[in-house]
Amino acid sequence: MARAKLTFQDINLTVNAPVGSRVVELSDKVGSGIAYGCREGDCGTCLMTVVEGMENLSEPSSVEKKLLKENVAGKNDRVACQAQILGDVTVKPA
């Protein structure tokens, strides 16, 4: 299985993640400050800022685009329960 490096800048930790994993799955396991409330893309509490590697995340789904717009997210923000890891990426809580 292909793997990628996911760095949580807020806790200065890098983990090897299976490609296709959602950021929130790993954030929860390692204790990053990326909060979440649902894991389904309904609430928007798991907004995160992508510090490096935006191109290494899946394209935003229509659900994620809606959440980003509703939450007035910045251009480097994504929703952790929706974003899948495709390659090396560094994130932090939004």
Side-chain angles (χ1 to χ4, degrees), residues 71-82:
N71 288 284
V72 193
K75 67 176 184 156
N76 293 322
D77 291 340
R78 293 289 304 269
V79 180
C81 71
Q82 297 291 301

Side-chain angles (χ1 to χ4, degrees), residues 1-52:
M1 174 177 270
R3 299 186 78 77
K5 291 185 187 331
L6 173 60
T7 301
F8 294 96
Q9 191 176 59
D10 62 318
I11 58 172
N12 195 28
L13 178 70
T14 300
V15 297
N16 287 314
V19 168
S21 298
R22 295 187 189 277
V23 175
V24 76
E25 295 167 359
L26 297 152
S27 173
D28 186 36
K29 288 180 183 176
V30 301
S32 171
I34 298 172
Y36 67 91
C38 68
R39 296 179 184 254
E40 300 284 327
D42 290 332
C43 63
T45 60
C46 62
L47 279 176
M48 64 180 180
T49 299
V50 180
V51 178
E52 291 182 49

